[in-house]
């Protein structure tokens, strides 16, 4: 696009490949890792009741929401910062701590918003190769330079579904210089049931250069309301509160988020449903001869590499599924062109995907 007759953006902005979310025009929508059971009924009720106050500005401090999050997870509400999805929190962190000449480090198959955020402020995104689709601590540490300002680690990781245990997270942090901010993106933490996993809160409380980010878009199934939050050292929380918008979380999001985080019974039901149908779907698809990479999240990565000619094309499979009104996520933008990412949905949805994959492979 020519910029010769109008305002010219900063160098590097037009080099950014815009983020493209999962498709949403389909009957079975399994492209965006949304909660299979939908929102908590209590959250929906709270949202509806907020309609009468839509003419009022929201609480700019998100005080009640921060208190609810703090009670649920045993945290200090004063060190919680809320945002319009964890995407906004990630962008604010990069904007506050990096700029031209700086580097933002992340693992090879990390979330695409990390490099987008880096380039948007003139910083350089740097990737570290993974091992078996899993972040590699030695690889990350070997790419830290004096210019590194932030290290992002999605744990568990999207789109691979893998995670690093607590011991590896601690080793990664121990190898970083004090000026480098380690951001643990724990968007899928609520799906975890492993004893060797940490979302990172205790590291935030021990060190001044660790931040944990979380979201209400996954297991809490409030993606359209855009609620994210960070648990930070006090100094980092102060910085984020200086750069964020004054009313960045709506009243509807506040009340629905509070209700969702307090509905522990629905949360547990959602977790159990996900584990049951993730394992079922994995067994069924492996039974078709496809590779399904191990996952601890609410999605799996299905790999078509090694199939017979014509059936080793992930994009052809995606289009076949789309023809049956089943939407899953393509992976070329992540460097995984032979894979499709499939969100765990309802029982009926997962059975429909298995049937469609079988028809594709046999056709």
């Amino acid at each position: 696009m020519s910029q010769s007759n109008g305002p010219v953006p900063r160098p590097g902005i037009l080099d950014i490949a815009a983020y493209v979310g999962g498709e949403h025009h389909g009957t079975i929508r399994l492209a965006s890792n949304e909660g299979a059971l939908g929102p908590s009924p209590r959250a929906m009720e709270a949202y509806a009741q907020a309609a009468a106050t839509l003419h009022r500005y929201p609480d700019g401090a998100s005080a009640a929401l921060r208190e609810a999050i703090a009670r649920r997870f045993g945290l200090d509400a004063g060190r919680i910062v809320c945002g319009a999805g964890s995407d906004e929190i990630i962008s604010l962190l990069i904007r506050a701590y990096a700029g031209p000449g700086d580097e933002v480090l992340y693992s090879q198959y990390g979330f695409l918003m990390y490099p987008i955020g880096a380039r948007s402020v003139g910083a350089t995104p740097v990737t570290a190769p993974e091992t078996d689709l899993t972040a590699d601590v030695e690889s990350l540490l070997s790419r830290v330079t004096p210019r590194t300002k932030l290290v992002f680690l999605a744990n568990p990781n999207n789109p691979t579904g893998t995670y690093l245990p607590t011991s590896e997270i601690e080793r990664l942090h121990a190898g970083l210089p004090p000026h480098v901010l380690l951001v643990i993106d724990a968007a899928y933490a609520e799906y975890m049931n492993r004893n060797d996993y940490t979302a990172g809160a205790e590291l935030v409380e021990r060190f001044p250069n660790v931040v944990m980010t979380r979201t209400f878009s996954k297991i809490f199934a409030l993606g359209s309301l855009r609620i994210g939050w960070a648990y930070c050292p006090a100094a980092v929380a102060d910085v984020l509160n200086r750069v964020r918008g004054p009313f960045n979380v709506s009243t509807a999001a506040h009340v629905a988020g509070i209700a969702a985080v307090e509905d522990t019974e629905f949360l547990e039901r959602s977790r159990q449903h996900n584990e049951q149908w993730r394992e079922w779907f994995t067994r069924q698809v492996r039974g078709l001869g496809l590779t399904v990479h191990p996952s601890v999240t609410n999605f799996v990565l299905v790999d078509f590499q090694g199939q017979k000619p014509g059936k080793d094309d992930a994009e052809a499979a995606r289009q076949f599924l789309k023809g049956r009104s089943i939407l899953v996520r393509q992976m070329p933008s992540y460097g995984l062109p032979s894979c499709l990412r499939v969100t765990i949905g309802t029982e009926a949805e997962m059975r429909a995907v298995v049937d469609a994959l079988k028809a594709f492979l046999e056709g």
Side-chain angles (χ1 to χ4, degrees), residues 90-124:
I90 290 166
S91 296
L92 290 173
L93 286 165
I94 294 173
R95 193 172 114 207
Y97 289 97
D102 297 329
E103 294 177 349
V104 175
L105 177 62
Y106 64 104
S107 63
Q108 180 179 4
Y109 301 116
F111 187 31
L112 291 178
M113 288 307 298
Y114 308 149
I116 289 174
R119 290 190 175 97
S120 73
V121 300
T124 301

PDB file of all heavy atoms in Angstrom, residues 90-124:
ATOM      1  N   ILE A  90      -0.357  -8.058  27.550  1.00  0.00           N
ATOM      2  CA  ILE A  90       0.896  -8.354  26.841  1.00  0.00           C
ATOM      3  C   ILE A  90       1.394  -7.107  26.106  1.00  0.00           C
ATOM      4  O   ILE A  90       2.579  -6.759  26.170  1.00  0.00           O
ATOM      5  CB  ILE A  90       0.681  -9.527  25.864  1.00  0.00           C
ATOM      6  CG1 ILE A  90       0.494 -10.830  26.646  1.00  0.00           C
ATOM      7  CG2 ILE A  90       1.846  -9.651  24.885  1.00  0.00           C
ATOM      8  CD1 ILE A  90      -0.051 -11.969  25.807  1.00  0.00           C
ATOM      9  N   SER A  91       0.475  -6.437  25.410  1.00  0.00           N
ATOM     10  CA  SER A  91       0.861  -5.230  24.679  1.00  0.00           C
ATOM     11  C   SER A  91       1.353  -4.131  25.609  1.00  0.00           C
ATOM     12  O   SER A  91       2.326  -3.430  25.317  1.00  0.00           O
ATOM     13  CB  SER A  91      -0.331  -4.720  23.866  1.00  0.00           C
ATOM     14  OG  SER A  91      -0.698  -5.654  22.872  1.00  0.00           O
ATOM     15  N   LEU A  92       0.685  -3.970  26.753  1.00  0.00           N
ATOM     16  CA  LEU A  92       1.100  -2.949  27.710  1.00  0.00           C
ATOM     17  C   LEU A  92       2.488  -3.236  28.269  1.00  0.00           C
ATOM     18  O   LEU A  92       3.305  -2.327  28.439  1.00  0.00           O
ATOM     19  CB  LEU A  92       0.091  -2.863  28.856  1.00  0.00           C
ATOM     20  CG  LEU A  92      -1.289  -2.274  28.523  1.00  0.00           C
ATOM     21  CD1 LEU A  92      -2.221  -2.424  29.717  1.00  0.00           C
ATOM     22  CD2 LEU A  92      -1.175  -0.821  28.106  1.00  0.00           C
ATOM     23  N   LEU A  93       2.761  -4.499  28.568  1.00  0.00           N
ATOM     24  CA  LEU A  93       4.078  -4.865  29.093  1.00  0.00           C
ATOM     25  C   LEU A  93       5.176  -4.550  28.080  1.00  0.00           C
ATOM     26  O   LEU A  93       6.224  -3.989  28.428  1.00  0.00           O
ATOM     27  CB  LEU A  93       4.107  -6.352  29.462  1.00  0.00           C
ATOM     28  CG  LEU A  93       3.351  -6.741  30.728  1.00  0.00           C
ATOM     29  CD1 LEU A  93       3.136  -8.251  30.783  1.00  0.00           C
ATOM     30  CD2 LEU A  93       4.119  -6.278  31.973  1.00  0.00           C
ATOM     31  N   ILE A  94       4.934  -4.902  26.824  1.00  0.00           N
ATOM     32  CA  ILE A  94       5.934  -4.632  25.789  1.00  0.00           C
ATOM     33  C   ILE A  94       6.105  -3.129  25.605  1.00  0.00           C
ATOM     34  O   ILE A  94       7.238  -2.625  25.514  1.00  0.00           O
ATOM     35  CB  ILE A  94       5.536  -5.309  24.470  1.00  0.00           C
ATOM     36  CG1 ILE A  94       5.571  -6.836  24.625  1.00  0.00           C
ATOM     37  CG2 ILE A  94       6.460  -4.881  23.335  1.00  0.00           C
ATOM     38  CD1 ILE A  94       5.038  -7.599  23.440  1.00  0.00           C
ATOM     39  N   ARG A  95       4.991  -2.416  25.574  1.00  0.00           N
ATOM     40  CA  ARG A  95       5.054  -0.967  25.392  1.00  0.00           C
ATOM     41  C   ARG A  95       5.800  -0.277  26.535  1.00  0.00           C
ATOM     42  O   ARG A  95       6.524   0.691  26.331  1.00  0.00           O
ATOM     43  CB  ARG A  95       3.630  -0.425  25.310  1.00  0.00           C
ATOM     44  CG  ARG A  95       3.533   1.005  24.824  1.00  0.00           C
ATOM     45  CD  ARG A  95       2.071   1.347  24.601  1.00  0.00           C
ATOM     46  NE  ARG A  95       1.632   2.380  25.540  1.00  0.00           N
ATOM     47  CZ  ARG A  95       0.384   2.530  25.951  1.00  0.00           C
ATOM     48  NH1 ARG A  95      -0.535   1.663  25.564  1.00  0.00           N
ATOM     49  NH2 ARG A  95       0.061   3.507  26.750  1.00  0.00           N
ATOM     50  N   ALA A  96       5.639  -0.810  27.733  1.00  0.00           N
ATOM     51  CA  ALA A  96       6.247  -0.177  28.899  1.00  0.00           C
ATOM     52  C   ALA A  96       7.722  -0.509  29.058  1.00  0.00           C
ATOM     53  O   ALA A  96       8.481   0.290  29.626  1.00  0.00           O
ATOM     54  CB  ALA A  96       5.491  -0.597  30.170  1.00  0.00           C
ATOM     55  N   TYR A  97       8.161  -1.673  28.547  1.00  0.00           N
ATOM     56  CA  TYR A  97       9.516  -2.123  28.865  1.00  0.00           C
ATOM     57  C   TYR A  97      10.412  -2.342  27.652  1.00  0.00           C
ATOM     58  O   TYR A  97      11.585  -2.712  27.814  1.00  0.00           O
ATOM     59  CB  TYR A  97       9.453  -3.414  29.695  1.00  0.00           C
ATOM     60  CG  TYR A  97       8.951  -3.156  31.094  1.00  0.00           C
ATOM     61  CD1 TYR A  97       7.620  -3.364  31.426  1.00  0.00           C
ATOM     62  CD2 TYR A  97       9.807  -2.671  32.080  1.00  0.00           C
ATOM     63  CE1 TYR A  97       7.152  -3.105  32.718  1.00  0.00           C
ATOM     64  CE2 TYR A  97       9.354  -2.419  33.374  1.00  0.00           C
ATOM     65  CZ  TYR A  97       8.029  -2.634  33.670  1.00  0.00           C
ATOM     66  OH  TYR A  97       7.575  -2.368  34.944  1.00  0.00           O
ATOM     67  N   ALA A  98       9.913  -2.139  26.449  1.00  0.00           N
ATOM     68  CA  ALA A  98      10.756  -2.342  25.267  1.00  0.00           C
ATOM     69  C   ALA A  98      10.519  -1.234  24.257  1.00  0.00           C
ATOM     70  O   ALA A  98       9.479  -0.577  24.254  1.00  0.00           O
ATOM     71  CB  ALA A  98      10.477  -3.703  24.633  1.00  0.00           C
ATOM     72  N   GLY A  99      11.497  -1.052  23.390  1.00  0.00           N
ATOM     73  CA  GLY A  99      11.403  -0.034  22.347  1.00  0.00           C
ATOM     74  C   GLY A  99      12.452  -0.287  21.275  1.00  0.00           C
ATOM     75  O   GLY A  99      13.072  -1.364  21.233  1.00  0.00           O
ATOM     76  N   PRO A 100      12.697   0.671  20.408  1.00  0.00           N
ATOM     77  CA  PRO A 100      13.693   0.495  19.338  1.00  0.00           C
ATOM     78  C   PRO A 100      15.055   0.088  19.895  1.00  0.00           C
ATOM     79  O   PRO A 100      15.534   0.668  20.872  1.00  0.00           O
ATOM     80  CB  PRO A 100      13.737   1.877  18.695  1.00  0.00           C
ATOM     81  CG  PRO A 100      12.382   2.454  18.958  1.00  0.00           C
ATOM     82  CD  PRO A 100      12.005   1.973  20.324  1.00  0.00           C
ATOM     83  N   GLY A 101      15.647  -0.925  19.278  1.00  0.00           N
ATOM     84  CA  GLY A 101      16.950  -1.418  19.710  1.00  0.00           C
ATOM     85  C   GLY A 101      16.882  -2.526  20.740  1.00  0.00           C
ATOM     86  O   GLY A 101      17.888  -3.190  21.004  1.00  0.00           O
ATOM     87  N   ASP A 102      15.700  -2.734  21.338  1.00  0.00           N
ATOM     88  CA  ASP A 102      15.538  -3.793  22.333  1.00  0.00           C
ATOM     89  C   ASP A 102      15.075  -5.085  21.678  1.00  0.00           C
ATOM     90  O   ASP A 102      14.613  -5.098  20.531  1.00  0.00           O
ATOM     91  CB  ASP A 102      14.514  -3.370  23.403  1.00  0.00           C
ATOM     92  CG  ASP A 102      14.964  -2.160  24.189  1.00  0.00           C
ATOM     93  OD1 ASP A 102      16.184  -2.000  24.359  1.00  0.00           O
ATOM     94  OD2 ASP A 102      14.094  -1.376  24.626  1.00  0.00           O
ATOM     95  N   GLU A 103      15.164  -6.164  22.434  1.00  0.00           N
ATOM     96  CA  GLU A 103      14.734  -7.476  21.940  1.00  0.00           C
ATOM     97  C   GLU A 103      13.687  -8.070  22.873  1.00  0.00           C
ATOM     98  O   GLU A 103      13.748  -7.909  24.092  1.00  0.00           O
ATOM     99  CB  GLU A 103      15.927  -8.425  21.827  1.00  0.00           C
ATOM    100  CG  GLU A 103      16.938  -7.991  20.772  1.00  0.00           C
ATOM    101  CD  GLU A 103      18.167  -8.878  20.704  1.00  0.00           C
ATOM    102  OE1 GLU A 103      18.352  -9.730  21.621  1.00  0.00           O
ATOM    103  OE2 GLU A 103      18.946  -8.731  19.749  1.00  0.00           O
ATOM    104  N   VAL A 104      12.732  -8.779  22.268  1.00  0.00           N
ATOM    105  CA  VAL A 104      11.697  -9.512  22.997  1.00  0.00           C
ATOM    106  C   VAL A 104      11.836 -10.977  22.610  1.00  0.00           C
ATOM    107  O   VAL A 104      11.706 -11.328  21.432  1.00  0.00           O
ATOM    108  CB  VAL A 104      10.292  -8.982  22.656  1.00  0.00           C
ATOM    109  CG1 VAL A 104       9.222  -9.840  23.315  1.00  0.00           C
ATOM    110  CG2 VAL A 104      10.159  -7.521  23.076  1.00  0.00           C
ATOM    111  N   LEU A 105      12.106 -11.817  23.579  1.00  0.00           N
ATOM    112  CA  LEU A 105      12.432 -13.221  23.332  1.00  0.00           C
ATOM    113  C   LEU A 105      11.240 -14.116  23.659  1.00  0.00           C
ATOM    114  O   LEU A 105      10.544 -13.893  24.653  1.00  0.00           O
ATOM    115  CB  LEU A 105      13.635 -13.611  24.199  1.00  0.00           C
ATOM    116  CG  LEU A 105      14.126 -15.060  24.163  1.00  0.00           C
ATOM    117  CD1 LEU A 105      14.599 -15.457  22.775  1.00  0.00           C
ATOM    118  CD2 LEU A 105      15.258 -15.238  25.185  1.00  0.00           C
ATOM    119  N   TYR A 106      11.030 -15.133  22.833  1.00  0.00           N
ATOM    120  CA  TYR A 106       9.955 -16.097  23.084  1.00  0.00           C
ATOM    121  C   TYR A 106      10.315 -17.402  22.390  1.00  0.00           C
ATOM    122  O   TYR A 106      11.222 -17.452  21.551  1.00  0.00           O
ATOM    123  CB  TYR A 106       8.607 -15.563  22.607  1.00  0.00           C
ATOM    124  CG  TYR A 106       8.513 -15.331  21.117  1.00  0.00           C
ATOM    125  CD1 TYR A 106       7.824 -16.210  20.291  1.00  0.00           C
ATOM    126  CD2 TYR A 106       9.117 -14.223  20.515  1.00  0.00           C
ATOM    127  CE1 TYR A 106       7.739 -16.007  18.926  1.00  0.00           C
ATOM    128  CE2 TYR A 106       9.033 -14.006  19.157  1.00  0.00           C
ATOM    129  CZ  TYR A 106       8.348 -14.900  18.359  1.00  0.00           C
ATOM    130  OH  TYR A 106       8.268 -14.694  17.004  1.00  0.00           O
ATOM    131  N   SER A 107       9.596 -18.472  22.718  1.00  0.00           N
ATOM    132  CA  SER A 107       9.920 -19.773  22.147  1.00  0.00           C
ATOM    133  C   SER A 107       9.338 -19.911  20.741  1.00  0.00           C
ATOM    134  O   SER A 107       8.394 -19.206  20.359  1.00  0.00           O
ATOM    135  CB  SER A 107       9.425 -20.914  23.043  1.00  0.00           C
ATOM    136  OG  SER A 107       8.022 -20.890  23.161  1.00  0.00           O
ATOM    137  N   GLN A 108       9.873 -20.833  20.002  1.00  0.00           N
ATOM    138  CA  GLN A 108       9.632 -20.982  18.563  1.00  0.00           C
ATOM    139  C   GLN A 108       8.156 -21.006  18.189  1.00  0.00           C
ATOM    140  O   GLN A 108       7.749 -20.378  17.212  1.00  0.00           O
ATOM    141  CB  GLN A 108      10.308 -22.268  18.086  1.00  0.00           C
ATOM    142  CG  GLN A 108      10.159 -22.572  16.608  1.00  0.00           C
ATOM    143  CD  GLN A 108      10.881 -23.855  16.238  1.00  0.00           C
ATOM    144  OE1 GLN A 108      11.435 -24.550  17.103  1.00  0.00           O
ATOM    145  NE2 GLN A 108      10.877 -24.188  14.964  1.00  0.00           N
ATOM    146  N   TYR A 109       7.339 -21.735  18.941  1.00  0.00           N
ATOM    147  CA  TYR A 109       5.927 -21.852  18.612  1.00  0.00           C
ATOM    148  C   TYR A 109       5.047 -21.082  19.603  1.00  0.00           C
ATOM    149  O   TYR A 109       3.918 -21.463  19.880  1.00  0.00           O
ATOM    150  CB  TYR A 109       5.516 -23.329  18.565  1.00  0.00           C
ATOM    151  CG  TYR A 109       6.309 -24.124  17.555  1.00  0.00           C
ATOM    152  CD1 TYR A 109       7.145 -25.161  17.963  1.00  0.00           C
ATOM    153  CD2 TYR A 109       6.239 -23.821  16.202  1.00  0.00           C
ATOM    154  CE1 TYR A 109       7.888 -25.878  17.033  1.00  0.00           C
ATOM    155  CE2 TYR A 109       6.985 -24.534  15.267  1.00  0.00           C
ATOM    156  CZ  TYR A 109       7.808 -25.564  15.690  1.00  0.00           C
ATOM    157  OH  TYR A 109       8.541 -26.267  14.775  1.00  0.00           O
ATOM    158  N   GLY A 110       5.593 -19.995  20.113  1.00  0.00           N
ATOM    159  CA  GLY A 110       4.853 -19.177  21.062  1.00  0.00           C
ATOM    160  C   GLY A 110       3.747 -18.369  20.396  1.00  0.00           C
ATOM    161  O   GLY A 110       3.655 -18.264  19.168  1.00  0.00           O
ATOM    162  N   PHE A 111       2.919 -17.759  21.227  1.00  0.00           N
ATOM    163  CA  PHE A 111       1.761 -16.978  20.807  1.00  0.00           C
ATOM    164  C   PHE A 111       2.188 -15.858  19.854  1.00  0.00           C
ATOM    165  O   PHE A 111       3.152 -15.131  20.114  1.00  0.00           O
ATOM    166  CB  PHE A 111       1.102 -16.403  22.053  1.00  0.00           C
ATOM    167  CG  PHE A 111      -0.206 -15.706  21.834  1.00  0.00           C
ATOM    168  CD1 PHE A 111      -1.087 -16.089  20.825  1.00  0.00           C
ATOM    169  CD2 PHE A 111      -0.576 -14.665  22.663  1.00  0.00           C
ATOM    170  CE1 PHE A 111      -2.299 -15.437  20.649  1.00  0.00           C
ATOM    171  CE2 PHE A 111      -1.792 -14.006  22.501  1.00  0.00           C
ATOM    172  CZ  PHE A 111      -2.645 -14.399  21.496  1.00  0.00           C
ATOM    173  N   LEU A 112       1.447 -15.693  18.761  1.00  0.00           N
ATOM    174  CA  LEU A 112       1.818 -14.725  17.723  1.00  0.00           C
ATOM    175  C   LEU A 112       1.762 -13.275  18.192  1.00  0.00           C
ATOM    176  O   LEU A 112       2.369 -12.398  17.559  1.00  0.00           O
ATOM    177  CB  LEU A 112       0.904 -14.892  16.501  1.00  0.00           C
ATOM    178  CG  LEU A 112       1.087 -16.171  15.686  1.00  0.00           C
ATOM    179  CD1 LEU A 112       0.087 -16.201  14.542  1.00  0.00           C
ATOM    180  CD2 LEU A 112       2.507 -16.268  15.147  1.00  0.00           C
ATOM    181  N   MET A 113       1.048 -12.996  19.280  1.00  0.00           N
ATOM    182  CA  MET A 113       0.976 -11.613  19.751  1.00  0.00           C
ATOM    183  C   MET A 113       2.309 -11.134  20.321  1.00  0.00           C
ATOM    184  O   MET A 113       2.516  -9.920  20.438  1.00  0.00           O
ATOM    185  CB  MET A 113      -0.121 -11.456  20.796  1.00  0.00           C
ATOM    186  CG  MET A 113      -1.538 -11.539  20.224  1.00  0.00           C
ATOM    187  SD  MET A 113      -1.820 -10.397  18.840  1.00  0.00           S
ATOM    188  CE  MET A 113      -1.563  -8.812  19.651  1.00  0.00           C
ATOM    189  N   TYR A 114       3.219 -12.037  20.684  1.00  0.00           N
ATOM    190  CA  TYR A 114       4.519 -11.596  21.204  1.00  0.00           C
ATOM    191  C   TYR A 114       5.323 -10.859  20.116  1.00  0.00           C
ATOM    192  O   TYR A 114       5.766  -9.728  20.337  1.00  0.00           O
ATOM    193  CB  TYR A 114       5.326 -12.765  21.756  1.00  0.00           C
ATOM    194  CG  TYR A 114       4.603 -13.640  22.763  1.00  0.00           C
ATOM    195  CD1 TYR A 114       4.899 -14.990  22.870  1.00  0.00           C
ATOM    196  CD2 TYR A 114       3.625 -13.128  23.610  1.00  0.00           C
ATOM    197  CE1 TYR A 114       4.255 -15.802  23.792  1.00  0.00           C
ATOM    198  CE2 TYR A 114       2.971 -13.935  24.533  1.00  0.00           C
ATOM    199  CZ  TYR A 114       3.292 -15.277  24.600  1.00  0.00           C
ATOM    200  OH  TYR A 114       2.644 -16.084  25.508  1.00  0.00           O
ATOM    201  N   PRO A 115       5.538 -11.461  18.942  1.00  0.00           N
ATOM    202  CA  PRO A 115       6.289 -10.712  17.920  1.00  0.00           C
ATOM    203  C   PRO A 115       5.527  -9.512  17.384  1.00  0.00           C
ATOM    204  O   PRO A 115       6.140  -8.491  17.039  1.00  0.00           O
ATOM    205  CB  PRO A 115       6.538 -11.760  16.821  1.00  0.00           C
ATOM    206  CG  PRO A 115       5.494 -12.804  17.025  1.00  0.00           C
ATOM    207  CD  PRO A 115       5.278 -12.860  18.502  1.00  0.00           C
ATOM    208  N   ILE A 116       4.194  -9.614  17.299  1.00  0.00           N
ATOM    209  CA  ILE A 116       3.417  -8.466  16.837  1.00  0.00           C
ATOM    210  C   ILE A 116       3.598  -7.297  17.791  1.00  0.00           C
ATOM    211  O   ILE A 116       3.836  -6.153  17.381  1.00  0.00           O
ATOM    212  CB  ILE A 116       1.926  -8.840  16.699  1.00  0.00           C
ATOM    213  CG1 ILE A 116       1.725  -9.778  15.498  1.00  0.00           C
ATOM    214  CG2 ILE A 116       1.064  -7.588  16.551  1.00  0.00           C
ATOM    215  CD1 ILE A 116       0.318 -10.314  15.361  1.00  0.00           C
ATOM    216  N   GLY A 117       3.502  -7.571  19.094  1.00  0.00           N
ATOM    217  CA  GLY A 117       3.680  -6.517  20.086  1.00  0.00           C
ATOM    218  C   GLY A 117       5.075  -5.922  20.043  1.00  0.00           C
ATOM    219  O   GLY A 117       5.244  -4.704  20.169  1.00  0.00           O
ATOM    220  N   ALA A 118       6.079  -6.770  19.856  1.00  0.00           N
ATOM    221  CA  ALA A 118       7.456  -6.279  19.794  1.00  0.00           C
ATOM    222  C   ALA A 118       7.644  -5.337  18.612  1.00  0.00           C
ATOM    223  O   ALA A 118       8.179  -4.230  18.739  1.00  0.00           O
ATOM    224  CB  ALA A 118       8.428  -7.451  19.709  1.00  0.00           C
ATOM    225  N   ARG A 119       7.212  -5.771  17.446  1.00  0.00           N
ATOM    226  CA  ARG A 119       7.397  -4.944  16.245  1.00  0.00           C
ATOM    227  C   ARG A 119       6.611  -3.637  16.346  1.00  0.00           C
ATOM    228  O   ARG A 119       7.024  -2.612  15.793  1.00  0.00           O
ATOM    229  CB  ARG A 119       6.971  -5.727  15.000  1.00  0.00           C
ATOM    230  CG  ARG A 119       7.921  -6.870  14.644  1.00  0.00           C
ATOM    231  CD  ARG A 119       7.598  -7.465  13.285  1.00  0.00           C
ATOM    232  NE  ARG A 119       8.566  -8.476  12.901  1.00  0.00           N
ATOM    233  CZ  ARG A 119       8.390  -9.785  13.076  1.00  0.00           C
ATOM    234  NH1 ARG A 119       7.266 -10.231  13.617  1.00  0.00           N
ATOM    235  NH2 ARG A 119       9.329 -10.647  12.711  1.00  0.00           N
ATOM    236  N   SER A 120       5.472  -3.653  17.034  1.00  0.00           N
ATOM    237  CA  SER A 120       4.653  -2.446  17.116  1.00  0.00           C
ATOM    238  C   SER A 120       5.344  -1.319  17.869  1.00  0.00           C
ATOM    239  O   SER A 120       4.992  -0.151  17.688  1.00  0.00           O
ATOM    240  CB  SER A 120       3.308  -2.765  17.769  1.00  0.00           C
ATOM    241  OG  SER A 120       3.451  -2.986  19.164  1.00  0.00           O
ATOM    242  N   VAL A 121       6.319  -1.649  18.734  1.00  0.00           N
ATOM    243  CA  VAL A 121       7.047  -0.607  19.472  1.00  0.00           C
ATOM    244  C   VAL A 121       8.456  -0.414  18.933  1.00  0.00           C
ATOM    245  O   VAL A 121       9.258   0.312  19.522  1.00  0.00           O
ATOM    246  CB  VAL A 121       7.096  -0.922  20.987  1.00  0.00           C
ATOM    247  CG1 VAL A 121       5.698  -1.012  21.560  1.00  0.00           C
ATOM    248  CG2 VAL A 121       7.901  -2.184  21.283  1.00  0.00           C
ATOM    249  N   GLY A 122       8.780  -1.070  17.826  1.00  0.00           N
ATOM    250  CA  GLY A 122      10.101  -0.924  17.234  1.00  0.00           C
ATOM    251  C   GLY A 122      11.145  -1.866  17.786  1.00  0.00           C
ATOM    252  O   GLY A 122      12.322  -1.762  17.428  1.00  0.00           O
ATOM    253  N   ALA A 123      10.730  -2.793  18.661  1.00  0.00           N
ATOM    254  CA  ALA A 123      11.667  -3.777  19.197  1.00  0.00           C
ATOM    255  C   ALA A 123      11.796  -4.952  18.230  1.00  0.00           C
ATOM    256  O   ALA A 123      10.997  -5.118  17.307  1.00  0.00           O
ATOM    257  CB  ALA A 123      11.207  -4.262  20.571  1.00  0.00           C
ATOM    258  N   THR A 124      12.808  -5.782  18.465  1.00  0.00           N
ATOM    259  CA  THR A 124      13.076  -6.936  17.606  1.00  0.00           C
ATOM    260  C   THR A 124      12.619  -8.218  18.282  1.00  0.00           C
ATOM    261  O   THR A 124      13.092  -8.543  19.381  1.00  0.00           O
ATOM    262  CB  THR A 124      14.578  -7.044  17.295  1.00  0.00           C
ATOM    263  OG1 THR A 124      15.014  -5.836  16.650  1.00  0.00           O
ATOM    264  CG2 THR A 124      14.870  -8.239  16.405  1.00  0.00           C
TER     265      THR A 124
END
